[in-house]
Amino acid sequence: MAAPRTNQLLEALSPASRNHLLSLSKEVHLPLRTMLQPQDETPKYGYFMLSGIGSVVVQLAEGGSAEVAVIGREGLTGASSLLGPSAPPSECFVQMEGSALRIPFADLKSAFLNSEEIRTRILAVVQQQTLTMSQIAACNKLHDNEARLARWLLMVQDRIQEDTLQLTQEFLAEMLGARRTTVALSAGALQRAGMIEYRRGKVTIVSREALESAACDCYQVARRLHLALYK
């Protein structure tokens, strides 16, 4: 069953704070690959995700890329840019088609500075995103591709709450910072073990329990951080 089209951060606010942000926002459709924040730039908008997934990716000058965060309906994009003037050395774009409430960044920053409640909630999201990024950075360096793929699929499913994910082999390779042949081998191993079905750009999670066993411990760390946001 799909997740409800709501944003958990907004839902956690008081009606007054939530309505204030809603009055400044506009719902928009987010096709695949929509750029939400270019690398090395302050965002023009923040996006409170309602459905779909935003992907934070580091693109290296010598070529290659790797995903360092996924953002779903638990948070918003561009939040780290509220903390200071430095532009992030990463980009954020739509990894899975969805929708969001788009707010001009200047309005978001004003609300962040003027409301303690909004600021506290957004800071909690920034902390969760930052701690998850550090875990994923270590994961990308130290763990094998099969375990990383299992971890990544679980993190995406946690956010969209669907069993079937629209993901091409090329896209998986980009997200994992691996060759397409490596992704094919890893996905094939998970499929032969009965954990997933992978065909024609679709990954269906058949056994979540088995997939959790195949994932590295980084998944449980990321999941705890995700669940702790709105206890």
Side-chain angles (χ1 to χ4, degrees), residues 13-151:
L13 295 171
S14 66
S17 294
R18 180 168 60 251
N19 289 336
H20 176 62
L21 291 174
L22 289 174
S23 71
L24 301 169
S25 303
K26 175 184 178 181
E27 184 170 346
V28 294
H29 175 63
L30 299 176
L32 185 68
R33 292 284 183 172
T34 299
M35 184 60 67
L36 304 179
Q37 181 173 1
Q39 185 168 321
D40 297 320
E41 292 184 21
T42 299
K44 294 180 179 179
Y45 300 97
Y47 293 84
F48 293 98
M49 301 297 292
L50 299 174
S51 62
I53 294 290
S55 182
V56 180
V57 174
V58 174
Q59 302 278 359
L60 299 179
E62 64 270 25
S65 64
E67 183 184 71
V68 294
V70 292
I71 301 173
R73 53 184 291 271
E74 78 283 354
L76 78 159
T77 68
S80 64
S81 293
L82 294 168
L83 306 187
S86 297
S90 59
E91 63 185 20
C92 181
F93 60 87
V94 176
Q95 175 196 108
M96 296 185 68
E97 181 178 2
S99 62
L101 290 167
R102 185 181 70 189
I103 182 171
F105 189 75
D107 291 335
L108 177 62
K109 187 171 184 178
S110 177
F112 176 80
L113 294 175
N114 293 325
S115 168
E116 181 179 359
E117 181 191 15
I118 292 173
R119 184 166 60 253
T120 298
R121 283 294 183 184
I122 290 178
L123 286 174
V125 168
V126 173
Q127 183 191 47
Q128 180 264 336
Q129 291 175 351
T130 301
L131 295 175
T132 302
M133 280 184 183
S134 64
Q135 190 70 34
I136 291 176
C139 181
N140 288 341
K141 174 67 175 178
L142 300 173
H143 292 146
D144 64 50
N145 287 294
E146 189 174 319
R148 289 169 53 216
L149 177 59
R151 183 265 299 163

Side-chain angles (χ1 to χ4, degrees), residues 153-161 208 219 223 226:
L153 292 172
L154 290 165
M155 288 181 66
V156 171
Q157 189 191 40
D158 284 345
R159 286 156 176 79
I160 67 168
Q161 295 181 25
R208 183 180 171 91
Y219 169 64
R223 185 169 186 267
H226 180 235

Side-chain angles (χ1 to χ4, degrees), residues 179 210 230:
R179 297 180 182 275
Y230 305 110

Side-chain angles (χ1 to χ4, degrees), residues 138-190:
C139 181
N140 288 341
K141 174 67 175 178
L142 300 173
H143 292 146
D144 64 50
N145 287 294
E146 189 174 319
R148 289 169 53 216
L149 177 59
R151 183 265 299 163
W152 189 82
L153 292 172
L154 290 165
M155 288 181 66
V156 171
Q157 189 191 40
D158 284 345
R159 286 156 176 79
I160 67 168
Q161 295 181 25
E162 293 181 358
D163 292 334
T164 299
L165 317 175
Q166 303 284 341
L167 300 164
T168 66
Q169 190 177 97
E170 179 182 6
F171 199 82
L172 285 170
E174 183 178 356
M175 293 304 93
L176 295 171
R179 297 180 182 275
R180 291 177 63 179
T181 52
T182 302
V183 171
L185 290 171
S186 299
L190 296 180

